[in-house]
Amino acid sequence: MAAEAQTPIRTPTPSRLSMRLGLRGWVYAGRYPAERYLYILHRLCGLGLILYLPLHVWVTGRRLQGPDAWQQTMAILSRPVFVAGEILVLAAFVFHAINGFRLLFGHLGCALGRPGHPVYPYPMALHRQRRMVVVLMVLAGALLAAGVWDLLTK
């Protein structure tokens, strides 16, 4: 009975908890606001762009192999599945760039307002940056629409 009383109670620390969630913890935002989901989408778009980079280098390298190799490559890449992939890459690039500006502004302290007293419920940055988020996401949508229009009307 006395030995049970001396056994320490182990409570999970935040780092242990995040390690236990694994990949789910990397993409699941739980009860967090939309800002967290924008950040997760930012990560996914960044990974997608990194995965696209070797394909882009390979396609660009085909140009060095002569005009025939380039024409063959362009014939393959003009198929609808690659055009859809190109639109996805454009969407990832536009969102990643515009959301990157939002994150940069947040890290620089722009549009965060004056610090307040830490009274629960805590004010979230997104509530203070909501106008900037809406403007930047509308800008991202406009840039994406212009890019898709340009891709499809060539």
Side-chain angles (χ1 to χ4, degrees), residues 81-146:
V81 68
F82 287 106
V83 173
E86 197 172 12
I87 290 171
L88 282 176
V89 167
L90 175 67
F93 172 75
V94 168
F95 175 78
H96 195 79
I98 297 297
N99 197 46
F101 282 121
R102 183 187 68 83
L103 292 172
L104 180 67
F105 291 148
H107 286 288
L108 293 176
C110 297
L112 290 180
R114 296 179 59 176
H117 294 285
V119 178
Y120 187 81
Y122 307 115
M124 290 176 265
L126 184 62
H127 293 169
R128 293 181 177 167
Q129 289 185 334
R130 184 152 302 203
R131 286 187 207 145
M132 184 173 69
V133 168
V134 169
V135 168
L136 289 177
M137 291 303 123
V138 167
L139 178 64
L143 289 173
L144 180 63

Side-chain angles (χ1 to χ4, degrees), residues 55-94:
L55 177 66
H56 178 71
V57 169
W58 178 78
V59 168
T60 306
R62 294 283 290 173
R63 193 167 192 125
L64 296 174
Q65 297 173 355
D68 292 335
W70 179 250
Q71 293 295 332
Q72 288 174 349
T73 304
M74 287 297 106
I76 292 170
L77 294 179
S78 64
R79 294 179 182 162
V81 68
F82 287 106
V83 173
E86 197 172 12
I87 290 171
L88 282 176
V89 167
L90 175 67
F93 172 75
V94 168

